Amino acid sequence: MTPVDLDLRVIPERPIVRNDVQSELDLVVDLTTTRGIGEQSATHALNLCIVIDRSGSMANNDKLEHAKRSCVSIWESLNPADHFTVLAFDDEVVSVVNPQTPPDQVKNRILALSPGGVTNLSNGWYLGLLELQTYASENHINRL
């Protein structure tokens, strides 16, 4: 196995957590690598599926608004040959956009997302994998 330059940063939502009571803490895990995908990028487009948490807890501190704006920014940076899928989950998973969505509707569909029920992350990820497989091809690099 070849070593890879990988940087892992865990960023807590607040700098101090009490250790005498149980509490919840949101974290951002940031993984970056300096290793590129090499020649694949020249011959392969991207098949990207983004899974967005839209549960009720995402209404706090504009978390969902930040996620939606990030998703739109990613959409605007893609190439025409790339496949783009967005799923949103709370206690249910909904398809927001897929590669067959008319391009002029993508941004509005993403920005129309609103917070909902409870979090079912496992179902969101599972259906995200299925959507990714739906649009997979030998000409695309698959990412979820």
Side-chain angles (χ1 to χ4, degrees), residues 71 75 84-87 94-101 105-107 109-110 131:
C71 194
W75 157 249
F84 185 64
T85 303
V86 177
L87 300 180
V94 295
S95 176
V96 180
V97 299
N98 64 46
Q100 294 155 353
T101 302
Q105 294 180 16
V106 171
K107 183 175 179 179
R109 287 187 182 191
I110 294 168
E131 280 292 304

Side-chain angles (χ1 to χ4, degrees), residues 26 51-68 89-90 114-117 119:
D26 290 331
V51 180
I52 297 178
D53 180 355
R54 67 164 186 163
S55 62
S57 65
M58 290 295 286
N60 301 331
N61 301 320
D62 291 327
K63 292 177 188 176
L64 183 57
E65 292 305 313
H66 290 293
K68 293 188 307 187
F89 71 91
D90 49 15
S114 59
T119 305

Side-chain angles (χ1 to χ4, degrees), residues 22-52:
Q22 184 176 2
S23 63
E24 289 187 14
L25 178 68
D26 290 331
L27 299 173
V28 172
V29 177
D30 182 22
L31 288 170
T32 56
T33 181
T34 56
R35 189 177 106 190
I37 55 176
E39 293 181 21
Q40 280 187 329
S41 62
T43 59
H44 290 74
L46 185 63
N47 178 24
L48 176 65
C49 179
I50 296 178
V51 180
I52 297 178

